[in-house]
Amino acid sequence: MPIRRVEVYTVELPYRKPFTISMGTSVSSTDVVVKLIDDEGRIGWGEASPSRRVTGESEDTILAAMNALVPLIIKEDPMNVERIEEKLSKAILGNTAAKLALEMAAFDLKGKILGVRVRDLLGGYTDRVETDFTIGIMPPEEMASDAVKHVESGFRILKLKVGTDVNEDIARVKAVRDAVGGGVRIRIDANQGWSLKQAKKALSEMARYDVELAEQPLRWYDLEGMAELTRTSPIPIMADESVHSARDALLVAEMGAADYINIKLTKAGGLLEARRIAAVSEAAGIPNMIGCMMEGGLSITAAVHFATATRNVVTTDLDSDISLKEDFVEGGARCEGGFRILPEGPGLGELRVREGRLKLRAVYEEGRESTTPL
Ligand code: MG
């Protein structure tokens, strides 16, 4: 049962098309994939999706963090996920994507050993959740045609990236609303792109297009500004980059700095901290969304387990794998008509990692104190 060996891989994930948000444009991600193996050869998988601008991590920092983190969990009992997570969280500050990958793999392994889904280990609430589809910043007419295409394929909620010039942002929202009509839910995400003044103007204008919520209009640290918007905006405010941890959620709640909090496993550094954020949010009367970075299907499946286990998660934004040219997993949480459906099977469920797509970067084993970069 103890974790005997950990293999660390990287995988290239090119997108179907360039993805632009207020912080920049990206065309692909390089994710780090970990494989935990216990002394009976059972396997747990985890994924880290680096985000330089949100968690300050890259492929290289994650690989470096593994040198500090993995030796701490070799020989640990995968039943003790909370203890594993404590060791990881105390070892180094931040590096949450790296920590998530290891904790996710420990949960997967624990679930497989017990024959139980991760969703059931975490609580258990439902078996499917509806997701939005996210449209990156583009000219209004392109965003509108993209919106129509995705509504036709079954999505009933759209998330529009904004946060550039306010008048252009208003035109983007108008174009999409005009194109999809009244039956589709529209939310926006400015990714910290506006000043308080710009946000006030944008939100008061956009309210006429029936926008259900506005994610992170201001800089992550501007909780006073977020609180002012939460009091005055006609559109409810969601904190995303402002909340990584349960402590952040407590501060946002105390300051009245959001109507909703967006949990991401990558920001939280694991499912356990994500659950703590949900607990703090629920106690404060703040509903959660669960969102994603540009993650592959493994990490998205872990997020679906969390979402289907947690009643305070009232909506989801779990769509990044759909925008990949080719995922590195088969199976996992499938997407049908805008719903993510929990896979059958223990741990993270029935999914196959295409190991041929992975590049082995390091192996850590019991009895070998130093790492073995290949
Ligand atoms: Mg966001």
Side-chain angles (χ1 to χ4, degrees):
M1 196 176 295
I3 296 164
R4 186 179 57 80
R5 179 182 165 95
V6 177
E7 297 172 1
V8 179
Y9 301 85
T10 50
V11 61
E12 295 296 322
L13 298 173
Y15 310 159
R16 287 181 201 273
K17 61 179 185 180
F19 182 63
T20 300
I21 66 172
S22 70
M23 298 189 278
T25 298
S26 36
V27 295
S28 73
S29 300
T30 304
D31 282 11
V32 177
V33 178
V34 300
K35 184 184 191 181
L36 263 51
I37 306 162
D38 80 351
D39 62 354
E40 292 178 40
R42 290 173 293 207
I43 289 167
W45 287 102
E47 178 182 352
S49 194
S51 170
R52 286 173 174 75
R53 297 181 185 95
V54 178
T55 72
E57 293 170 279
S58 67
E59 165 198 355
D60 293 333
T61 71
I62 291 173
L63 292 173
M66 290 298 169
N67 285 333
L69 297 173
V70 176
L72 301 174
I73 70 165
I74 298 272
K75 290 195 255 182
E76 274 293 330
D77 182 343
M79 290 303 109
N80 298 337
V81 180
E82 183 118 4
R83 182 179 154 85
I84 288 171
E85 189 252 1
E86 181 187 34
K87 284 188 155 191
L88 299 177
S89 69
K90 285 185 172 171
I92 39 173
L93 190 67
N95 292 280
T96 47
K99 291 170 182 171
L100 167 65
L102 293 170
E103 196 232 50
M104 182 191 302
F107 260 119
D108 186 28
L109 183 53
K110 177 176 179 172
K112 283 173 179 160
I113 291 169
L114 295 173
V116 172
R117 294 179 294 188
V118 170
R119 164 216 184 264
D120 303 335
L121 294 175
L122 291 171
Y125 186 66
T126 183
D127 63 357
R128 62 185 57 207
V129 285
E130 188 163 15
T131 181
D132 60 28
F133 184 83
T134 305
I135 298 173
I137 294 173
M138 291 181 289
E141 59 281 6
E142 268 184 64
M143 288 178 75
S145 64
D146 221 14
V148 168
K149 198 173 82 188
H150 285 95
V151 168
E152 282 170 359
S153 73
F155 291 94
R156 304 186 301 179
I157 316 171
L158 298 171
K159 171 163 146 175
L160 311 181
K161 290 290 190 180
V162 293
T164 61
D165 175 83
V166 168
N167 290 322
E168 286 174 22
D169 286 337
I170 295 165
R172 291 184 174 101
V173 175
K174 180 183 188 311
V176 171
R177 177 55 79 200
D178 288 349
V180 299
V184 176
R185 291 161 60 188
I186 293 177
R187 53 184 64 154
I188 59 157
D189 186 357
N191 286 108
Q192 316 178 59
W194 292 326
S195 67
L196 182 58
K197 208 178 214 178
Q198 289 170 324
K200 283 182 171 177
K201 181 182 175 192
L203 296 173
S204 67
E205 296 281 329
M206 286 176 183
R208 76 178 65 159
Y209 305 113
D210 193 15
V211 173
E212 66 172 8
L213 61 90
E215 214 178 308
Q216 201 67 44
L218 308 179
R219 301 287 184 272
W220 65 268
Y221 49 80
D222 186 7
L223 296 185
E224 288 84 3
M226 291 280 285
E228 185 173 336
L229 285 181
T230 302
R231 282 193 302 273
T232 60
S233 164
I235 299 173
I237 303 297
M238 175 181 279
D240 178 5
E241 288 92 327
S242 292
V243 177
H244 291 231
S245 64
R247 173 68 214 166
D248 294 339
L250 187 58
L251 189 60
V252 162
E254 283 169 352
M255 292 186 64
D259 299 293
Y260 295 87
I261 289 174
N262 183 359
I263 298 175
K264 289 178 184 160
L265 299 181
T266 301
K267 289 186 297 174
L271 296 119
L272 290 173
E273 184 66 11
R275 198 168 61 168
R276 292 181 201 115
I277 298 172
V280 168
S281 303
E282 186 174 358
I286 299 174
N288 294 123
M289 176 163 90
I290 179 157
C292 58
M293 305 296 183
M294 283 307 287
E295 298 161 16
L298 181 62
S299 202
I300 290 291
T301 297
V304 171
H305 278 271
F306 179 81
T308 54
T310 311
R311 67 176 179 217
N312 205 50
V313 173
V314 297
T315 188
T316 81
D317 171 30
L318 297 175
D319 59 346
S320 60
D321 56 332
I322 300 164
S323 297
L324 300 177
K325 213 174 256 174
E326 195 193 356
D327 205 347
F328 71 98
V329 295
E330 285 167 17
R334 63 186 196 278
C335 191
E336 277 180 21
F339 283 83
R340 302 295 319 218
I341 297 151
L342 200 71
E344 295 296 318
L348 291 174
E350 285 163 10
L351 59 85
R352 191 177 77 79
V353 174
R354 294 174 177 156
E355 296 195 49
R357 287 208 50 206
L358 309 180
K359 187 174 162 194
L360 185 62
R361 303 297 293 268
V363 176
Y364 303 81
E365 267 192 313
E366 186 184 339
R368 219 190 286 177
E369 287 306 310
S370 60
T371 63
T372 315
L374 298 176

